[in-house]
Amino acid sequence: MLHILVILIILIHFCLCFKSLAYGCAFYIAIKMIIPTPTRVAGLSLYTFMLIILIFFAMVRHMRWRKSKKNVKAATFPFVYLIFPIAVLGVFGVVDYSFQYRSLIQFALTEVSPFFLIMIAIKNEDELRLCVKTLIISYLIIGVWGIVTYITHINLYVLLFANAFDYSGELYVGNGTEILRGVLSSSASGNQSEGAIPWGQISLIMLTFGLFYQKIDNKILKNSFIILAVLNCFLSTKRSVIVPMLLLLGCIFVNKGIFTRKNLIRGIAIVIVGIVLYINVPVVRDVYHSNIETALFFWDDDLAAEHDFKGSDKSMRVRQAIYVNHLISDHFFAGLGYGYPIVHNMKYHGATDAWYFESLYLDAIASSGYIGLLVWIFFFFLLINRTNIACRNKLDNYLLHGGYVLSVFLTNIYCSFAYYMIVTALFIKYKQLYIYSCYRPQCFIKEAESK
């Protein structure tokens, strides 16, 4: 039955791409957000198969985008400033070149090409609104399911697809056996077979989108979207998600003038109610100590140990950094080759101080050295620069990217980078279609007056 559903999805996708590349992108966003990750087509991920169809139509039927040098530069800069430099650095590594470039091509296809496709597909405001609405509605659907997975302690939806497609991924935790965090007896996982970390990061990306994208006119829809994202971030139980979320919300509260007299009275009332619950309800007290307090004071290993909060601690992070820097001592600048962490984990199965390279910092320097780390930092800087007037102010723009960047430097990218690239592309298209269109007439008037 599910195989028939997948065939139907592919047929619909093909027809929508034939009609419009923007419709195909919107449908891809919906499927990627809702359908579980174990879904396969002829051995390929369903998402990858859909991207191949989109790229085919982009190359064959949508040739006009090539004529605009500005459009080409905007759509392809992730390949120029991220993929290409990492590929060049791989020449100096020790990992087999064929393995390196297969891994890099897969990363470029699954994680970076969605940005490219959205940039060339969306040509007007209606198509942008279509993709934005699709993203919002899709997350609302799967976000509710994310909360259900926490309540039920099992992701039956992901299990159903995993069993149907005989998926046995190494990180598969849809059966609810993942390490639990404090007294929270489960983890929200949404549509992710890889578990709560990617789902938490995806929810963090959706939170920043809901907070900073300016063209969500329906307030009920926007507020529901934001609240659902906050709940899923928290119920992911991952400090690498909760800490950036708390910092993000704290900065917004301060910047938006939340601390008015009226809001302070409300805040005091909430604190009083919280104190009463803390004193009289043991479950509330346990939740605070084991999850909220350990997230707020995430650097305090003794506090985490006191409340039996298992996870990466400060000393583990230090050991990881020392170990990985020792690994690249003879390849300090260019690293050991793209995909080295995969090779290392296949050999040692996480039984070293590197563990599973649980930070983009560790992954980047192991693969591409400190030059590679600078490539990543410069790439994030370029993304921030390209959305600089798509947000209401500079702080919002920094927060849009900062929460996710902090999260991946704490816990690595996993399966969330494509969502970050999709959201960034939507902000850039908003900047091009809405903001630039407002500025152009004024520029033309000034040019005419000067003549």
Side-chain angles (χ1 to χ4, degrees), residues 341-400:
I342 299 173
V343 175
H344 188 92
N345 290 331
M346 288 172 62
K347 182 177 181 179
Y348 297 105
H349 302 286
T352 68
D353 280 340
W355 198 234
Y356 288 103
F357 296 82
E358 294 180 311
S359 169
L360 180 59
Y361 160 73
L362 300 174
D363 196 293
I365 65 169
S367 298
S368 310
Y370 277 92
I371 295 177
L373 178 62
L374 291 176
V375 168
W376 273 102
I377 292 171
F378 182 63
F379 176 69
F380 284 124
F381 171 79
L382 289 176
L383 286 177
I384 293 170
N385 185 56
R386 276 162 171 74
T387 58
N388 61 350
I389 58 173
C391 297
R392 291 182 177 87
N393 53 59
K394 288 185 177 181
L395 178 61
D396 286 359
N397 188 41
Y398 293 140
L399 293 175
L400 168 65

Side-chain angles (χ1 to χ4, degrees), residues 3 14 45 74 94 160 177 181 184 248 299 311 346 380 385 425:
H3 290 81
F14 192 90
S45 163
V94 298
L160 179 66
T177 61
R181 302 296 192 182
L184 289 180
L248 175 70
W299 60 84
M346 288 172 62
F380 284 124
N385 185 56

Side-chain angles (χ1 to χ4, degrees), residues 10-50:
I10 293 299
L11 290 175
I12 293 172
H13 184 57
F14 192 90
C15 293
L16 290 174
C17 289
F18 187 82
K19 178 180 180 180
S20 166
L21 197 60
Y23 277 81
C25 284
F27 189 63
Y28 163 77
I29 290 171
I31 296 301
K32 185 173 180 62
M33 188 67 75
I34 295 175
I35 299 298
T37 51
T39 313
R40 295 289 182 268
V41 179
L44 288 175
S45 163
L46 173 61
Y47 313 147
T48 302
F49 197 85
M50 293 177 73

Side-chain angles (χ1 to χ4, degrees), residues 274-290:
I275 292 172
V276 172
L277 291 174
Y278 175 87
I279 294 172
N280 295 285
V281 182
V283 173
V284 173
R285 186 161 58 249
D286 291 341
V287 168
Y288 170 77
H289 283 305
S290 297

Side-chain angles (χ1 to χ4, degrees), residues 185-197:
S185 56
S186 181
S187 294
S189 54
N191 71 331
Q192 296 295 303
S193 61
E194 288 77 9
I197 293 178

Side-chain angles (χ1 to χ4, degrees), residues 181-313:
R181 302 296 192 182
V183 297
L184 289 180
S185 56
S186 181
S187 294
S189 54
N191 71 331
Q192 296 295 303
S193 61
E194 288 77 9
I197 293 178
W199 177 245
Q201 289 182 343
I202 291 166
S203 296
L204 185 64
I205 295 165
M206 294 302 109
L207 174 60
T208 55
F209 180 78
L211 288 170
F212 302 124
Y213 191 80
Q214 297 182 49
K215 278 290 180 177
I216 306 177
D217 298 323
N218 189 318
K219 289 187 177 181
I220 295 176
L221 194 68
K222 180 175 182 175
N223 291 335
S224 300
F225 185 82
I226 292 171
I227 292 170
L228 199 58
V230 169
L231 288 173
N232 276 278
C233 284
F234 181 71
L235 294 179
S236 73
T237 72
K238 304 303 177 184
R239 285 183 289 179
S240 60
V241 174
I242 295 174
V243 170
M245 179 192 72
L246 293 175
L247 292 173
L248 175 70
L249 295 176
C251 289
I252 291 173
F253 289 157
V254 173
N255 186 53
K256 300 299 181 183
I258 299 297
F259 299 109
T260 61
R261 181 184 297 178
K262 186 176 181 179
N263 287 334
L264 283 173
I265 293 172
R266 291 175 178 173
I268 291 170
I270 292 172
V271 170
I272 291 172
V273 171
I275 292 172
V276 172
L277 291 174
Y278 175 87
I279 294 172
N280 295 285
V281 182
V283 173
V284 173
R285 186 161 58 249
D286 291 341
V287 168
Y288 170 77
H289 283 305
S290 297
N291 297 279
I292 299 175
E293 187 179 24
T294 51
L296 289 171
F297 303 99
F298 60 94
W299 60 84
D300 192 336
D301 297 343
D302 294 333
L303 181 65
E306 179 184 345
H307 298 293
D308 194 29
F309 192 99
K310 300 177 178 66
S312 299
D313 54 29

